[in-house]
Amino acid sequence: MLDFVKDPAEIRKAFLTYFLEAHVETTTDPNLVHQLATKLAHARLFTPRDVEHYAKAWWTPTQSHAALAAAVTPARDEFAQRWAEAEDQQDSQTLDELRAFREDC
């Protein structure tokens, strides 16, 4: 996890170069993104509304880091709750699924 202390607008401007000028030199499979999105959604840790909320916070230049953090809070809390329950119940399958979700993110 990255944590920046600079102004979000400055950070966005600095990274924009990479978004606009990066080039892929090999062929990629566009379905990989859809497959990963489907896999992440299957965990049911976030809703389509959560995704829309985050996208709005990301693409609104005046939004702060706090707005992005707030947008992921419901999914983070759901993940933490499931993790705690799985640990309490010693449910290794659920813990493995949650680890896989975290790695995929």
Side-chain angles (χ1 to χ4, degrees):
M1 180 177 187
L2 297 175
D3 186 19
F4 297 104
V5 287
K6 292 188 176 187
D7 177 53
E10 290 179 38
I11 295 167
R12 186 174 296 201
K13 183 179 177 183
F15 277 92
L16 193 58
T17 301
Y18 299 103
F19 287 120
L20 297 177
E21 297 178 9
H23 301 284
V24 177
E25 295 182 10
T26 60
T27 304
T28 60
D29 181 357
N31 291 316
L32 291 177
V33 172
H34 298 292
Q35 291 167 356
L36 180 58
T38 299
K39 186 177 180 184
L40 292 173
H42 184 72
R44 297 182 188 270
L45 286 162
F46 58 87
T47 66
R49 185 175 179 163
D50 293 333
V51 174
E52 289 175 19
H53 187 198
Y54 185 84
K56 182 178 179 183
W58 176 261
W59 291 110
T60 303
T62 58
Q63 290 289 355
S64 66
H65 177 72
L68 293 170
V72 299
T73 296
R76 183 206 60 202
D77 291 350
E78 180 66 24
F79 180 93
Q81 179 182 342
R82 288 190 196 178
W83 186 276
E85 290 172 359
E87 280 187 327
D88 288 345
Q89 298 172 4
Q90 297 180 351
D91 183 349
S92 60
Q93 180 179 348
T94 299
L95 288 170
D96 288 344
E97 291 169 359
L98 291 169
R99 282 186 193 97
F101 177 87
R102 182 177 57 199
E103 289 172 12
D104 288 338
C105 285

Short mmCIF file of all heavy atoms in Angstrom, two decimals, residues 11-75:
data_model
loop_
_atom_site.label_atom_id
_atom_site.label_comp_id
_atom_site.label_asym_id
_atom_site.label_seq_id
_atom_site.Cartn_x
_atom_site.Cartn_y
_atom_site.Cartn_z
N ILE A 11 0.51 14.68 -7.09
CA ILE A 11 0.77 13.25 -7.32
C ILE A 11 0.13 12.81 -8.63
O ILE A 11 0.75 12.14 -9.46
CB ILE A 11 0.25 12.41 -6.14
CG1 ILE A 11 1.03 12.75 -4.88
CG2 ILE A 11 0.35 10.92 -6.46
CD1 ILE A 11 0.41 12.22 -3.61
N ARG A 12 -1.12 13.21 -8.83
CA ARG A 12 -1.82 12.85 -10.07
C ARG A 12 -1.08 13.38 -11.29
O ARG A 12 -0.91 12.69 -12.28
CB ARG A 12 -3.25 13.38 -10.04
CG ARG A 12 -4.08 12.93 -11.23
CD ARG A 12 -5.50 13.35 -11.06
NE ARG A 12 -6.01 12.63 -9.90
CZ ARG A 12 -7.28 12.42 -9.67
NH1 ARG A 12 -8.18 12.87 -10.48
NH2 ARG A 12 -7.68 11.78 -8.61
N LYS A 13 -0.62 14.62 -11.21
CA LYS A 13 0.11 15.24 -12.32
C LYS A 13 1.40 14.46 -12.61
O LYS A 13 1.73 14.21 -13.76
CB LYS A 13 0.42 16.70 -12.01
CG LYS A 13 1.11 17.43 -13.13
CD LYS A 13 1.37 18.89 -12.76
CE LYS A 13 2.13 19.59 -13.85
NZ LYS A 13 2.45 20.98 -13.49
N ALA A 14 2.09 14.05 -11.56
CA ALA A 14 3.34 13.30 -11.73
C ALA A 14 3.10 11.94 -12.37
O ALA A 14 3.87 11.50 -13.23
CB ALA A 14 4.04 13.14 -10.38
N PHE A 15 2.04 11.27 -11.98
CA PHE A 15 1.75 9.96 -12.54
C PHE A 15 1.11 10.03 -13.92
O PHE A 15 1.14 9.06 -14.67
CB PHE A 15 0.84 9.16 -11.59
CG PHE A 15 1.59 8.47 -10.51
CD1 PHE A 15 1.80 9.08 -9.28
CD2 PHE A 15 2.11 7.19 -10.71
CE1 PHE A 15 2.50 8.44 -8.27
CE2 PHE A 15 2.80 6.54 -9.71
CZ PHE A 15 3.00 7.17 -8.49
N LEU A 16 0.52 11.15 -14.26
CA LEU A 16 -0.16 11.30 -15.55
C LEU A 16 0.78 11.01 -16.71
O LEU A 16 0.38 10.42 -17.71
CB LEU A 16 -0.76 12.70 -15.67
CG LEU A 16 -1.74 12.92 -16.81
CD1 LEU A 16 -2.91 11.94 -16.72
CD2 LEU A 16 -2.26 14.34 -16.78
N THR A 17 2.04 11.37 -16.56
CA THR A 17 3.03 11.09 -17.60
C THR A 17 3.05 9.60 -17.92
O THR A 17 3.07 9.20 -19.09
CB THR A 17 4.43 11.52 -17.13
OG1 THR A 17 4.39 12.91 -16.86
CG2 THR A 17 5.48 11.23 -18.18
N TYR A 18 3.03 8.77 -16.90
CA TYR A 18 3.08 7.32 -17.11
C TYR A 18 1.79 6.81 -17.74
O TYR A 18 1.82 5.88 -18.54
CB TYR A 18 3.36 6.61 -15.79
CG TYR A 18 4.69 7.02 -15.21
CD1 TYR A 18 4.76 7.91 -14.15
CD2 TYR A 18 5.87 6.55 -15.76
CE1 TYR A 18 5.98 8.31 -13.63
CE2 TYR A 18 7.10 6.94 -15.25
CZ TYR A 18 7.15 7.82 -14.18
OH TYR A 18 8.34 8.21 -13.69
N PHE A 19 0.67 7.39 -17.39
CA PHE A 19 -0.60 6.96 -17.96
C PHE A 19 -0.69 7.33 -19.44
O PHE A 19 -1.25 6.60 -20.23
CB PHE A 19 -1.78 7.58 -17.21
CG PHE A 19 -2.01 6.98 -15.86
CD1 PHE A 19 -1.96 7.77 -14.73
CD2 PHE A 19 -2.28 5.64 -15.71
CE1 PHE A 19 -2.17 7.22 -13.47
CE2 PHE A 19 -2.49 5.08 -14.46
CZ PHE A 19 -2.43 5.88 -13.34
N LEU A 20 -0.15 8.48 -19.82
CA LEU A 20 -0.28 8.96 -21.19
C LEU A 20 0.85 8.49 -22.10
O LEU A 20 0.66 8.36 -23.31
CB LEU A 20 -0.35 10.49 -21.20
CG LEU A 20 -1.55 11.10 -20.49
CD1 LEU A 20 -1.46 12.62 -20.52
CD2 LEU A 20 -2.85 10.64 -21.11
N GLU A 21 2.03 8.24 -21.55
CA GLU A 21 3.18 7.94 -22.38
C GLU A 21 3.66 6.49 -22.29
O GLU A 21 4.58 6.12 -22.99
CB GLU A 21 4.33 8.88 -22.03
CG GLU A 21 4.00 10.33 -22.32
CD GLU A 21 5.12 11.28 -21.94
OE1 GLU A 21 6.22 10.82 -21.62
OE2 GLU A 21 4.87 12.50 -21.97
N ALA A 22 3.06 5.68 -21.47
CA ALA A 22 3.49 4.29 -21.34
C ALA A 22 3.08 3.50 -22.58
O ALA A 22 2.01 3.71 -23.14
CB ALA A 22 2.87 3.66 -20.09
N HIS A 23 3.96 2.62 -23.01
CA HIS A 23 3.70 1.80 -24.19
C HIS A 23 3.92 0.33 -23.84
O HIS A 23 4.87 0.00 -23.14
CB HIS A 23 4.63 2.19 -25.34
CG HIS A 23 4.49 3.62 -25.75
ND1 HIS A 23 3.43 4.08 -26.49
CD2 HIS A 23 5.25 4.71 -25.47
CE1 HIS A 23 3.57 5.39 -26.68
NE2 HIS A 23 4.66 5.79 -26.07
N VAL A 24 3.06 -0.52 -24.35
CA VAL A 24 3.19 -1.96 -24.15
C VAL A 24 3.88 -2.53 -25.39
O VAL A 24 3.44 -2.29 -26.51
CB VAL A 24 1.80 -2.62 -23.95
CG1 VAL A 24 1.94 -4.12 -23.81
CG2 VAL A 24 1.12 -2.00 -22.74
N GLU A 25 4.95 -3.27 -25.16
CA GLU A 25 5.72 -3.78 -26.29
C GLU A 25 5.33 -5.21 -26.67
O GLU A 25 5.79 -5.72 -27.68
CB GLU A 25 7.21 -3.72 -25.96
CG GLU A 25 7.69 -2.29 -25.80
CD GLU A 25 9.18 -2.19 -25.54
OE1 GLU A 25 9.87 -3.22 -25.65
OE2 GLU A 25 9.63 -1.09 -25.23
N THR A 26 4.50 -5.84 -25.90
CA THR A 26 4.06 -7.20 -26.22
C THR A 26 2.54 -7.21 -26.34
O THR A 26 1.85 -6.31 -25.88
CB THR A 26 4.48 -8.20 -25.12
OG1 THR A 26 3.88 -7.79 -23.88
CG2 THR A 26 6.00 -8.25 -24.97
N THR A 27 2.04 -8.24 -26.96
CA THR A 27 0.60 -8.40 -27.10
C THR A 27 0.00 -8.78 -25.75
O THR A 27 0.57 -9.59 -25.03
CB THR A 27 0.28 -9.50 -28.13
OG1 THR A 27 0.92 -9.17 -29.35
CG2 THR A 27 -1.21 -9.64 -28.34
N THR A 28 -1.10 -8.17 -25.43
CA THR A 28 -1.78 -8.49 -24.18
C THR A 28 -3.16 -9.05 -24.48
O THR A 28 -3.71 -8.82 -25.56
CB THR A 28 -1.93 -7.24 -23.29
OG1 THR A 28 -2.68 -6.26 -24.00
CG2 THR A 28 -0.58 -6.67 -22.90
N ASP A 29 -3.69 -9.74 -23.53
CA ASP A 29 -5.03 -10.31 -23.66
C ASP A 29 -6.01 -9.38 -22.95
O ASP A 29 -6.00 -9.28 -21.72
CB ASP A 29 -5.06 -11.70 -23.03
CG ASP A 29 -6.42 -12.37 -23.16
OD1 ASP A 29 -7.38 -11.74 -23.68
OD2 ASP A 29 -6.53 -13.53 -22.73
N PRO A 30 -6.85 -8.68 -23.70
CA PRO A 30 -7.79 -7.73 -23.06
C PRO A 30 -8.79 -8.42 -22.14
O PRO A 30 -9.37 -7.79 -21.27
CB PRO A 30 -8.50 -7.06 -24.24
CG PRO A 30 -8.30 -7.99 -25.38
CD PRO A 30 -7.01 -8.72 -25.14
N ASN A 31 -8.96 -9.71 -22.30
CA ASN A 31 -9.89 -10.43 -21.43
C ASN A 31 -9.36 -10.61 -20.02
O ASN A 31 -10.12 -10.90 -19.11
CB ASN A 31 -10.25 -11.79 -22.04
CG ASN A 31 -11.09 -11.63 -23.28
OD1 ASN A 31 -12.02 -10.82 -23.31
ND2 ASN A 31 -10.75 -12.37 -24.31
N LEU A 32 -8.05 -10.45 -19.82
CA LEU A 32 -7.48 -10.62 -18.49
C LEU A 32 -8.09 -9.66 -17.48
O LEU A 32 -8.35 -10.02 -16.34
CB LEU A 32 -5.95 -10.46 -18.52
CG LEU A 32 -5.19 -11.56 -19.26
CD1 LEU A 32 -3.70 -11.22 -19.29
CD2 LEU A 32 -5.42 -12.91 -18.62
N VAL A 33 -8.34 -8.44 -17.92
CA VAL A 33 -8.94 -7.45 -17.02
C VAL A 33 -10.35 -7.87 -16.64
O VAL A 33 -10.74 -7.81 -15.47
CB VAL A 33 -8.95 -6.05 -17.68
CG1 VAL A 33 -9.74 -5.06 -16.83
CG2 VAL A 33 -7.53 -5.57 -17.91
N HIS A 34 -11.10 -8.34 -17.62
CA HIS A 34 -12.48 -8.78 -17.35
C HIS A 34 -12.49 -10.01 -16.45
O HIS A 34 -13.34 -10.13 -15.55
CB HIS A 34 -13.22 -9.06 -18.66
CG HIS A 34 -13.34 -7.85 -19.53
ND1 HIS A 34 -14.12 -6.78 -19.21
CD2 HIS A 34 -12.75 -7.56 -20.71
CE1 HIS A 34 -14.02 -5.85 -20.15
NE2 HIS A 34 -13.19 -6.30 -21.07
N GLN A 35 -11.55 -10.93 -16.69
CA GLN A 35 -11.47 -12.13 -15.86
C GLN A 35 -11.14 -11.77 -14.41
O GLN A 35 -11.73 -12.32 -13.48
CB GLN A 35 -10.43 -13.10 -16.43
CG GLN A 35 -10.86 -13.72 -17.74
CD GLN A 35 -9.72 -14.44 -18.46
OE1 GLN A 35 -8.57 -14.42 -18.01
NE2 GLN A 35 -10.03 -15.05 -19.59
N LEU A 36 -10.20 -10.85 -14.23
CA LEU A 36 -9.84 -10.43 -12.88
C LEU A 36 -11.00 -9.71 -12.21
O LEU A 36 -11.30 -9.95 -11.04
CB LEU A 36 -8.59 -9.55 -12.90
CG LEU A 36 -8.12 -9.05 -11.54
CD1 LEU A 36 -7.81 -10.21 -10.59
CD2 LEU A 36 -6.90 -8.17 -11.70
N ALA A 37 -11.67 -8.85 -12.94
CA ALA A 37 -12.82 -8.13 -12.38
C ALA A 37 -13.91 -9.11 -11.94
O ALA A 37 -14.50 -8.95 -10.87
CB ALA A 37 -13.37 -7.14 -13.40
N THR A 38 -14.15 -10.11 -12.75
CA THR A 38 -15.15 -11.13 -12.41
C THR A 38 -14.73 -11.90 -11.17
O THR A 38 -15.54 -12.15 -10.26
CB THR A 38 -15.35 -12.10 -13.59
OG1 THR A 38 -15.82 -11.33 -14.71
CG2 THR A 38 -16.35 -13.18 -13.25
N LYS A 39 -13.45 -12.27 -11.11
CA LYS A 39 -12.92 -13.00 -9.95
C LYS A 39 -13.06 -12.18 -8.68
O LYS A 39 -13.50 -12.68 -7.64
CB LYS A 39 -11.46 -13.37 -10.20
CG LYS A 39 -10.85 -14.24 -9.15
CD LYS A 39 -9.43 -14.61 -9.54
CE LYS A 39 -8.78 -15.49 -8.50
NZ LYS A 39 -7.38 -15.78 -8.82
N LEU A 40 -12.71 -10.90 -8.74
CA LEU A 40 -12.82 -10.04 -7.56
C LEU A 40 -14.28 -9.84 -7.15
O LEU A 40 -14.60 -9.87 -5.97
CB LEU A 40 -12.15 -8.69 -7.82
CG LEU A 40 -10.63 -8.72 -7.97
CD1 LEU A 40 -10.12 -7.35 -8.40
CD2 LEU A 40 -9.94 -9.19 -6.70
N ALA A 41 -15.16 -9.66 -8.12
CA ALA A 41 -16.57 -9.46 -7.82
C ALA A 41 -17.20 -10.71 -7.20
O ALA A 41 -18.11 -10.60 -6.37
CB ALA A 41 -17.33 -9.07 -9.09
N HIS A 42 -16.69 -11.87 -7.60
CA HIS A 42 -17.22 -13.13 -7.07
C HIS A 42 -17.08 -13.22 -5.55
O HIS A 42 -17.88 -13.88 -4.89
CB HIS A 42 -16.52 -14.32 -7.76
CG HIS A 42 -17.06 -15.64 -7.34
ND1 HIS A 42 -18.29 -16.11 -7.73
CD2 HIS A 42 -16.53 -16.60 -6.54
CE1 HIS A 42 -18.50 -17.29 -7.20
NE2 HIS A 42 -17.44 -17.62 -6.47
N ALA A 43 -16.08 -12.54 -5.01
CA ALA A 43 -15.88 -12.56 -3.55
C ALA A 43 -16.99 -11.82 -2.81
O ALA A 43 -17.16 -11.99 -1.61
CB ALA A 43 -14.53 -11.97 -3.21
N ARG A 44 -17.72 -10.98 -3.52
CA ARG A 44 -18.83 -10.20 -2.94
C ARG A 44 -18.39 -9.36 -1.73
O ARG A 44 -19.12 -9.26 -0.74
CB ARG A 44 -20.00 -11.10 -2.58
CG ARG A 44 -20.60 -11.78 -3.79
CD ARG A 44 -21.80 -12.63 -3.41
NE ARG A 44 -22.26 -13.42 -4.51
CZ ARG A 44 -23.16 -13.04 -5.39
NH1 ARG A 44 -23.70 -11.86 -5.31
NH2 ARG A 44 -23.53 -13.85 -6.37
N LEU A 45 -17.21 -8.77 -1.85
CA LEU A 45 -16.74 -7.87 -0.80
C LEU A 45 -17.08 -6.42 -1.11
O LEU A 45 -16.99 -5.55 -0.24
CB LEU A 45 -15.22 -8.01 -0.64
CG LEU A 45 -14.78 -9.29 0.05
CD1 LEU A 45 -13.30 -9.56 -0.20
CD2 LEU A 45 -15.04 -9.18 1.55
N PHE A 46 -17.47 -6.15 -2.33
CA PHE A 46 -17.85 -4.80 -2.74
C PHE A 46 -19.02 -4.90 -3.70
O PHE A 46 -19.28 -5.95 -4.27
CB PHE A 46 -16.67 -4.06 -3.39
CG PHE A 46 -16.11 -4.76 -4.60
CD1 PHE A 46 -16.63 -4.56 -5.86
CD2 PHE A 46 -15.05 -5.64 -4.46
CE1 PHE A 46 -16.11 -5.21 -6.97
CE2 PHE A 46 -14.52 -6.30 -5.55
CZ PHE A 46 -15.05 -6.08 -6.81
N THR A 47 -19.72 -3.79 -3.84
CA THR A 47 -20.90 -3.75 -4.71
C THR A 47 -20.59 -2.88 -5.94
O THR A 47 -19.63 -2.09 -5.91
CB THR A 47 -22.09 -3.13 -3.97
OG1 THR A 47 -21.79 -1.76 -3.69
CG2 THR A 47 -22.40 -3.88 -2.67
N PRO A 48 -21.40 -2.99 -6.97
CA PRO A 48 -21.23 -2.08 -8.11
C PRO A 48 -21.31 -0.61 -7.67
O PRO A 48 -20.60 0.23 -8.21
CB PRO A 48 -22.38 -2.45 -9.04
CG PRO A 48 -22.63 -3.89 -8.74
CD PRO A 48 -22.40 -4.02 -7.24
N ARG A 49 -22.13 -0.32 -6.69
CA ARG A 49 -22.23 1.06 -6.19
C ARG A 49 -20.91 1.50 -5.55
O ARG A 49 -20.49 2.66 -5.70
CB ARG A 49 -23.37 1.17 -5.20
CG ARG A 49 -23.60 2.59 -4.75
CD ARG A 49 -24.79 2.71 -3.87
NE ARG A 49 -24.92 4.11 -3.48
CZ ARG A 49 -26.00 4.62 -2.98
NH1 ARG A 49 -27.07 3.88 -2.82
NH2 ARG A 49 -26.04 5.88 -2.64
N ASP A 50 -20.24 0.58 -4.84
CA ASP A 50 -18.92 0.90 -4.27
C ASP A 50 -17.93 1.25 -5.37
O ASP A 50 -17.15 2.20 -5.24
CB ASP A 50 -18.36 -0.29 -3.47
CG ASP A 50 -19.15 -0.61 -2.22
OD1 ASP A 50 -19.81 0.30 -1.66
OD2 ASP A 50 -19.12 -1.79 -1.81
N VAL A 51 -17.97 0.51 -6.47
CA VAL A 51 -17.07 0.77 -7.59
C VAL A 51 -17.37 2.14 -8.20
O VAL A 51 -16.45 2.91 -8.49
CB VAL A 51 -17.18 -0.35 -8.65
CG1 VAL A 51 -16.35 -0.02 -9.89
CG2 VAL A 51 -16.75 -1.69 -8.05
N GLU A 52 -18.64 2.44 -8.38
CA GLU A 52 -19.03 3.74 -8.93
C GLU A 52 -18.57 4.88 -8.02
O GLU A 52 -18.08 5.91 -8.49
CB GLU A 52 -20.53 3.80 -9.13
CG GLU A 52 -21.04 2.93 -10.26
CD GLU A 52 -22.56 2.92 -10.35
OE1 GLU A 52 -23.21 3.82 -9.80
OE2 GLU A 52 -23.07 1.98 -10.99
N HIS A 53 -18.72 4.69 -6.71
CA HIS A 53 -18.32 5.70 -5.74
C HIS A 53 -16.81 5.94 -5.85
O HIS A 53 -16.34 7.09 -5.85
CB HIS A 53 -18.72 5.24 -4.34
CG HIS A 53 -18.50 6.26 -3.27
ND1 HIS A 53 -18.46 5.94 -1.94
CD2 HIS A 53 -18.31 7.60 -3.32
CE1 HIS A 53 -18.24 7.02 -1.23
NE2 HIS A 53 -18.14 8.04 -2.03
N TYR A 54 -16.03 4.87 -5.94
CA TYR A 54 -14.58 5.01 -6.05
C TYR A 54 -14.20 5.67 -7.37
O TYR A 54 -13.34 6.56 -7.40
CB TYR A 54 -13.89 3.65 -5.93
CG TYR A 54 -12.39 3.80 -5.93
CD1 TYR A 54 -11.72 4.09 -4.74
CD2 TYR A 54 -11.66 3.71 -7.09
CE1 TYR A 54 -10.35 4.27 -4.72
CE2 TYR A 54 -10.29 3.89 -7.08
CZ TYR A 54 -9.63 4.16 -5.90
OH TYR A 54 -8.28 4.35 -5.90
N ALA A 55 -14.84 5.25 -8.46
CA ALA A 55 -14.52 5.83 -9.78
C ALA A 55 -14.80 7.33 -9.78
O ALA A 55 -14.00 8.12 -10.30
CB ALA A 55 -15.32 5.14 -10.87
N LYS A 56 -15.89 7.72 -9.17
CA LYS A 56 -16.23 9.15 -9.11
C LYS A 56 -15.16 9.90 -8.31
O LYS A 56 -14.70 10.98 -8.73
CB LYS A 56 -17.60 9.36 -8.46
CG LYS A 56 -18.02 10.81 -8.41
CD LYS A 56 -19.39 10.96 -7.81
CE LYS A 56 -19.76 12.44 -7.76
NZ LYS A 56 -21.06 12.65 -7.12
N ALA A 57 -14.72 9.32 -7.19
CA ALA A 57 -13.68 9.97 -6.38
C ALA A 57 -12.36 10.03 -7.14
O ALA A 57 -11.64 11.03 -7.07
CB ALA A 57 -13.50 9.22 -5.06
N TRP A 58 -12.06 8.98 -7.89
CA TRP A 58 -10.78 8.94 -8.63
C TRP A 58 -10.76 9.96 -9.76
O TRP A 58 -9.77 10.65 -9.98
CB TRP A 58 -10.57 7.54 -9.18
CG TRP A 58 -9.34 7.44 -10.04
CD1 TRP A 58 -9.29 7.48 -11.40
CD2 TRP A 58 -7.98 7.34 -9.61
NE1 TRP A 58 -8.00 7.38 -11.84
CE2 TRP A 58 -7.17 7.30 -10.76
CE3 TRP A 58 -7.38 7.27 -8.37
CZ2 TRP A 58 -5.79 7.20 -10.70
CZ3 TRP A 58 -6.01 7.16 -8.30
CH2 TRP A 58 -5.23 7.13 -9.47
N TRP A 59 -11.85 10.05 -10.51
CA TRP A 59 -11.86 10.89 -11.71
C TRP A 59 -12.25 12.34 -11.45
O TRP A 59 -12.26 13.14 -12.37
CB TRP A 59 -12.75 10.28 -12.78
CG TRP A 59 -12.15 9.03 -13.32
CD1 TRP A 59 -12.61 7.75 -13.13
CD2 TRP A 59 -10.98 8.91 -14.13
NE1 TRP A 59 -11.77 6.86 -13.76
CE2 TRP A 59 -10.77 7.55 -14.39
CE3 TRP A 59 -10.07 9.83 -14.64
CZ2 TRP A 59 -9.70 7.08 -15.14
CZ3 TRP A 59 -9.00 9.37 -15.40
CH2 TRP A 59 -8.83 8.02 -15.64
N THR A 60 -12.58 12.68 -10.21
CA THR A 60 -12.89 14.06 -9.87
C THR A 60 -11.61 14.70 -9.35
O THR A 60 -11.16 14.39 -8.25
CB THR A 60 -14.00 14.13 -8.81
OG1 THR A 60 -15.14 13.44 -9.31
CG2 THR A 60 -14.36 15.57 -8.50
N PRO A 61 -11.00 15.61 -10.14
CA PRO A 61 -9.70 16.18 -9.76
C PRO A 61 -9.69 16.88 -8.41
O PRO A 61 -8.66 16.93 -7.75
CB PRO A 61 -9.39 17.17 -10.88
CG PRO A 61 -10.28 16.81 -11.99
CD PRO A 61 -11.47 16.13 -11.41
N THR A 62 -10.81 17.40 -7.99
CA THR A 62 -10.83 18.14 -6.73
C THR A 62 -10.99 17.22 -5.52
O THR A 62 -10.91 17.69 -4.39
CB THR A 62 -11.98 19.16 -6.73
OG1 THR A 62 -13.22 18.48 -6.95
CG2 THR A 62 -11.76 20.22 -7.79
N GLN A 63 -11.21 15.94 -5.75
CA GLN A 63 -11.39 15.01 -4.63
C GLN A 63 -10.06 14.80 -3.91
O GLN A 63 -9.00 14.84 -4.50
CB GLN A 63 -11.93 13.66 -5.12
CG GLN A 63 -13.36 13.70 -5.59
CD GLN A 63 -14.34 13.88 -4.43
OE1 GLN A 63 -14.02 13.89 -3.27
NE2 GLN A 63 -15.60 14.05 -4.80
N SER A 64 -10.13 14.55 -2.64
CA SER A 64 -8.94 14.35 -1.82
C SER A 64 -8.66 12.86 -1.63
O SER A 64 -9.47 12.01 -2.00
CB SER A 64 -9.16 14.99 -0.45
OG SER A 64 -10.19 14.28 0.22
N HIS A 65 -7.51 12.60 -1.06
CA HIS A 65 -7.17 11.22 -0.70
C HIS A 65 -8.23 10.65 0.24
O HIS A 65 -8.57 9.47 0.17
CB HIS A 65 -5.79 11.17 -0.05
CG HIS A 65 -5.40 9.81 0.41
ND1 HIS A 65 -5.05 8.80 -0.46
CD2 HIS A 65 -5.30 9.29 1.65
CE1 HIS A 65 -4.76 7.72 0.23
NE2 HIS A 65 -4.91 7.99 1.50
N ALA A 66 -8.76 11.50 1.10
CA ALA A 66 -9.79 11.06 2.04
C ALA A 66 -11.03 10.56 1.31
O ALA A 66 -11.67 9.60 1.76
CB ALA A 66 -10.16 12.20 2.98
N ALA A 67 -11.36 11.16 0.17
CA ALA A 67 -12.52 10.70 -0.60
C ALA A 67 -12.27 9.31 -1.17
O ALA A 67 -13.18 8.47 -1.19
CB ALA A 67 -12.82 11.69 -1.73
N LEU A 68 -11.05 9.06 -1.64
CA LEU A 68 -10.71 7.73 -2.14
C LEU A 68 -10.75 6.70 -1.01
O LEU A 68 -11.27 5.60 -1.17
CB LEU A 68 -9.34 7.74 -2.80
CG LEU A 68 -9.23 8.54 -4.08
CD1 LEU A 68 -7.77 8.66 -4.51
CD2 LEU A 68 -10.04 7.89 -5.19
N ALA A 69 -10.19 7.07 0.13
CA ALA A 69 -10.19 6.17 1.28
C ALA A 69 -11.61 5.86 1.73
O ALA A 69 -11.94 4.71 2.04
CB ALA A 69 -9.38 6.77 2.42
N ALA A 70 -12.46 6.88 1.73
CA ALA A 70 -13.85 6.67 2.13
C ALA A 70 -14.57 5.73 1.16
O ALA A 70 -15.43 4.94 1.57
CB ALA A 70 -14.58 8.01 2.21
N ALA A 71 -14.21 5.80 -0.11
CA ALA A 71 -14.87 4.96 -1.11
C ALA A 71 -14.54 3.48 -0.94
O ALA A 71 -15.35 2.63 -1.30
CB ALA A 71 -14.49 5.43 -2.51
N VAL A 72 -13.37 3.17 -0.41
CA VAL A 72 -13.00 1.76 -0.22
C VAL A 72 -13.33 1.24 1.18
O VAL A 72 -13.20 0.06 1.45
CB VAL A 72 -11.51 1.49 -0.54
CG1 VAL A 72 -11.20 1.81 -1.98
CG2 VAL A 72 -10.59 2.22 0.41
N THR A 73 -13.77 2.12 2.06
CA THR A 73 -14.05 1.73 3.44
C THR A 73 -15.06 0.60 3.57
O THR A 73 -14.82 -0.34 4.34
CB THR A 73 -14.48 2.96 4.27
OG1 THR A 73 -13.37 3.87 4.32
CG2 THR A 73 -14.87 2.58 5.68
N PRO A 74 -16.18 0.60 2.85
CA PRO A 74 -17.12 -0.51 3.01
C PRO A 74 -16.50 -1.88 2.66
O PRO A 74 -16.69 -2.85 3.40
CB PRO A 74 -18.26 -0.17 2.05
CG PRO A 74 -18.20 1.31 1.88
CD PRO A 74 -16.73 1.64 1.96
N ALA A 75 -15.74 -1.95 1.59
CA ALA A 75 -15.11 -3.21 1.19
C ALA A 75 -14.03 -3.60 2.20
O ALA A 75 -13.90 -4.77 2.57
CB ALA A 75 -14.53 -3.10 -0.21
#
